[in-house]
């Protein structure tokens, strides 16, 4: 019996540590292969930690976005093989939103010439384009390239999700398809279809072996899970299923066991996630009269929200 228990314990220990990849390790491994000096790699890790998961625009005039762009630009100029710095620099240019910026075009051109996998380059640029483009109907040439050349299921499923979301956006907005807006059953069907696509991606992000295979760090995986949860949560709130939104948050992500490094890297996005939920709950209470039963249910949901590990982390960081 002891031998069996020892074998099982060893099995779980091995699998617990198998393929865990931190963002620091990923940057170290990736840039070492390109010949970037250790001093530059250390600077890249430090700057990446400073700006976290990529939410760089903290105020209305975009000051932090500008700061991010300037610092990544200085680092990239020290060694133009540093494609990690270049990716974050390009992201900053997309965030600032200056149309037809010649510098952005220049850096995108340099990035596309980098000696790294073509599907990675086009996926990164495709995500930047999608996140920062006001018109989601414009064909994303980068995503189209990935679909032609890649067998990376994370890339392909993520692209499928965002393209489907773009296609259906007009049908789930307030001023969207009147036929859909007047048909709660059809609306729920659309939300369920989007949720199913998110769940497929979530399975990849929860699989340590696949994370290693697709070179996704723990910090990046958790960041993506927060993003997809926010999309799903907003859709559920839109269909008046605020309770389902909060329960999904609690059951799927709010009490997820993560390292301090992952939590620190994603602290801004965690705060945004909780604020999104609180806003949805507040709107539910603000619009229309609520029965005592509904008020009690909302109070219980609030208490459940405040008891989660994520909420406690946010409260500790704000003290």
């Amino acid at each position: 019996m002891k031998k069996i228990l020892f074998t099982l314990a060893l099995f779980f220990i091995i699998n617990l540590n198998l393929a865990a990849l931190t963002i620091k390790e990923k940057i170290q491994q990736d840039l070492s292969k390109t010949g970037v000096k250790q001093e530059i790699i250390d600077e890249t890790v430090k700057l990446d930690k400073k700006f976290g998961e990529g939410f760089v625009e903290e105020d209305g005039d975009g000051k932090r976005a500008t700061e991010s762009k300037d610092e990544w630009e200085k680092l990239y100029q020290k060694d133009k093989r540093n494609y990690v710095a270049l990716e974050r620099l390009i992201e900053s240019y997309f965030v600032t939103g200056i149309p037809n910026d010649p510098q952005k075009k220049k850096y995108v051109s340099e990035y596309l010439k980098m000696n790294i996998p073509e599907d990675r380059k086009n996926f990164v640029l495709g995500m930047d384009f999608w996140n920062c483009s006001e018109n989601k109907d414009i064909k994303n040439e980068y995503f189209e390239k990935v679909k032609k050349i890649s067998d990376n299921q994370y890339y392909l499923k993520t692209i499928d999700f965002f393209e489907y979301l773009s296609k259906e956006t007009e049908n789930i907005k307030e001023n969207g398809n009147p036929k859909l807006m007047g048909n709660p059953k059809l609306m729920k069907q659309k939300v369920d279809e989007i949720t199913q696509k998110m769940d497929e991606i979530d399975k990849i992000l929860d699989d340590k072996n696949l994370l290693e295979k697709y070179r996704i760090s723990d910090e990046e995986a958790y960041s993506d899970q927060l993003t997809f949860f926010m999309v799903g949560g907003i859709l559920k709130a839109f269909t008046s299923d605020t309770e389902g939104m909060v329960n999904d948050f609690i059951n799927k992500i709010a009490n997820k066991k993560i390292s301090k490094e992952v939590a620190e890297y994603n602290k801004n996005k965690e705060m945004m996630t909780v604020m999104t939920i609180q806003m949805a709950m507040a709107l539910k209470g603000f619009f229309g009269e609520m029965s005592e039963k509904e008020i009690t249910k909302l109070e219980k949901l609030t208490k459940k929200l405040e008891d989660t590990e994520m909420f406690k982390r946010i409260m500790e960081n704000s003290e």
Side-chain angles (χ1 to χ4, degrees):
M1 174 66 77
K2 287 184 179 179
K3 185 176 181 181
I4 294 173
L5 290 173
F6 176 77
T7 303
L8 285 171
L10 185 61
F11 172 80
F12 284 118
I13 290 170
I14 291 171
N15 280 275
L16 189 63
N17 291 289
L18 181 65
L21 181 69
T22 67
I23 191 71
K24 180 179 179 180
E25 291 167 340
K26 179 183 176 182
I27 292 172
Q28 176 69 48
Q29 293 169 13
D30 289 356
L31 293 186
S32 293
K33 292 177 183 177
T34 66
V36 176
K37 291 181 179 179
Q38 188 59 48
E39 179 184 348
I40 301 296
I41 295 175
D42 292 341
E43 284 188 58
T44 306
V45 170
K46 184 178 179 180
L47 197 56
D48 184 76
K49 183 178 180 180
K50 176 181 178 180
F51 290 114
E53 77 294 282
F55 277 93
V56 294
E57 190 169 2
E58 291 190 341
D59 51 35
D61 58 9
K63 284 183 179 178
R64 182 117 189 267
T66 303
E67 177 191 358
S68 165
K69 178 169 67 65
D70 292 344
E71 292 193 50
W72 284 116
E73 197 156 24
K74 288 177 184 177
L75 183 57
Y76 172 61
Q77 294 301 334
K78 290 181 179 181
D79 189 332
K80 290 199 170 185
R81 294 172 297 180
N82 188 346
Y83 61 84
V84 175
L86 183 54
E87 285 176 351
R88 297 301 292 270
L89 173 58
I90 291 170
E91 179 187 17
S92 298
Y93 269 101
F94 271 100
V95 169
T96 52
I98 301 173
N100 301 315
D101 190 324
Q103 278 296 98
K104 182 177 76 174
K105 288 183 177 180
K106 172 179 175 291
Y107 286 130
V108 167
S109 177
E110 289 181 14
Y111 180 62
L112 287 171
K113 294 174 184 175
M114 286 276 190
N115 188 27
I116 56 177
E118 288 297 315
D119 58 351
R120 171 181 173 142
K121 289 186 287 191
N122 282 278
F123 179 76
V124 169
L125 292 173
M127 287 301 299
D128 285 339
F129 179 85
W130 197 93
N131 287 328
C132 300
S133 173
E134 292 184 5
N135 187 354
K136 306 300 184 190
D137 293 328
I138 297 175
K139 194 167 186 177
N140 192 320
E141 62 181 284
Y142 304 113
F143 279 173
E144 291 301 313
K145 181 74 178 288
V146 176
K147 289 191 290 184
K148 289 178 182 177
I149 65 175
S150 183
D151 61 357
N152 183 314
Q153 289 303 302
Y154 171 70
Y155 290 167
L156 296 175
K157 287 184 182 296
T158 300
I159 290 171
D160 177 60
F161 167 77
F162 281 112
E163 289 186 337
Y164 184 85
L165 190 62
S166 296
K167 178 184 172 184
E168 297 296 337
T169 292
E170 293 305 313
N171 291 330
I172 58 177
K173 288 196 306 187
E174 187 173 355
N175 295 320
N177 189 327
K179 183 178 179 181
L180 181 62
M181 297 304 298
N183 190 336
K185 186 176 180 181
L186 185 56
M187 168 136 350
K188 184 180 183 304
Q189 177 189 325
K190 294 295 182 182
V191 172
D192 287 345
E193 288 171 3
I194 293 171
T195 302
Q196 183 181 351
K197 291 180 182 294
M198 288 192 296
D199 288 342
E200 290 175 4
I201 300 169
D202 200 52
K203 287 178 183 177
I204 294 175
L205 297 173
D206 268 335
D207 188 319
K208 292 292 184 183
N209 291 310
L210 291 178
L211 291 182
E212 173 64 24
K213 178 180 179 180
Y214 298 135
R215 302 295 294 164
I216 304 169
S217 71
D218 293 341
E219 290 90 338
E220 292 168 318
Y222 185 61
S223 174
D224 286 349
Q225 287 179 317
L226 287 170
T227 297
F228 288 119
F229 170 78
M230 277 193 282
V231 173
I234 291 168
L235 289 174
K236 284 207 168 185
F238 189 79
T239 58
S240 301
D241 188 11
T242 306
E243 184 176 3
M245 176 189 188
V246 178
N247 285 329
D248 276 355
F249 172 70
I250 292 168
N251 297 330
K252 292 183 177 181
I253 201 163
N255 293 306
K256 198 176 183 71
K257 300 297 180 185
I258 59 173
S259 69
K260 289 182 179 180
E261 292 77 14
V262 170
E264 175 66 22
Y265 194 82
N266 288 282
K267 62 183 180 182
N268 289 340
K269 191 175 275 189
E270 282 196 333
M271 188 178 299
M272 184 176 291
T273 304
V274 171
M275 287 174 62
T276 299
I277 294 171
Q278 289 176 318
M279 186 179 297
M281 294 171 70
L283 289 173
K284 181 177 177 64
F286 182 78
F287 289 107
E289 294 184 6
M290 295 178 66
S291 66
E292 286 189 21
K293 185 177 179 180
E294 288 175 320
I295 293 172
T296 301
K297 184 180 287 187
L298 198 60
E299 288 173 346
K300 287 181 178 180
L301 285 175
T302 301
K303 180 66 170 61
K304 287 172 71 176
L305 173 66
E306 292 173 351
D307 285 339
T308 63
E309 292 300 316
M310 188 189 298
F311 190 90
K312 290 174 184 176
R313 275 197 302 273
I314 293 171
M315 290 299 100
E316 286 175 9
N317 290 332
S318 64
E319 290 177 356

